[in-house]
Amino acid sequence: QVQLVESGGRLVQAGGSLRLSCVVSGRTFSSYIMGWFRQAPGKEREFVAQISWSGGAIRYADSVKGRFTISRDNFKNTVYLQIDSLKPEDTALYYCAARLFGQTDFASWGQGTQVTVSS
């Protein structure tokens, strides 16, 4: 079992940047594939990005390619999401999640951090 705590969300103007962080505790962080998801008001939660344990395999949702960058620091047990050129439609509750290699679904989730982008 792992615990995930996100931070870094805030109110920001369109065009600005943010870096979200997710600190993981409880088990060996490097064993996990990490992901970021988001849920906008009135919408379903959607996949944003994921990164392998080594950082060598990364995948993004088409809607965020070129503006979002996922990274991880296995020494700090932390996964990051750098968001550039923020748009109002990026407003959402952002969650990080963890799954072990071989698992289909992300089994562990944080509580989320709110990102609000003003136009």
Side-chain angles (χ1 to χ4, degrees):
Q1 192 76 5
V2 291
Q3 293 78 46
L4 297 84
V5 179
E6 303 95 333
S7 63
R10 60 181 176 89
L11 174 63
V12 64
Q13 286 191 333
S17 297
L18 277 178
R19 189 176 78 159
L20 307 183
S21 301
C22 174
V23 178
V24 181
S25 61
R27 289 192 64 176
T28 306
F29 175 67
S30 60
S31 301
Y32 287 87
I33 296 167
M34 299 300 300
W36 285 97
F37 294 74
R38 66 184 181 183
Q39 186 168 19
K43 295 187 177 181
E44 293 187 353
R45 187 164 57 191
E46 64 173 352
F47 168 80
V48 173
Q50 74 174 36
I51 185 168
S52 64
W53 70 271
S54 68
I58 290 175
R59 185 166 67 93
Y60 296 100
D62 288 342
S63 60
V64 306
K65 283 180 181 178
R67 296 190 301 117
F68 287 32
T69 305
I70 189 171
S71 62
R72 67 190 292 162
D73 185 334
N74 287 345
F75 293 103
K76 294 183 178 179
N77 287 4
T78 302
V79 60
Y80 304 99
L81 186 68
Q82 175 70 36
I83 310 175
D84 298 317
S85 302
L86 277 155
K87 304 176 181 180
E89 52 263 43
D90 294 322
T91 295
L93 189 60
Y94 283 72
Y95 298 91
C96 72
R99 66 178 175 92
L100 291 169
F101 180 79
Q103 289 182 333
T104 302
D105 298 323
F106 284 87
S108 300
W109 295 81
Q111 294 299 306
T113 186
Q114 179 67 41
V115 173
T116 303
V117 184
S118 62
S119 57

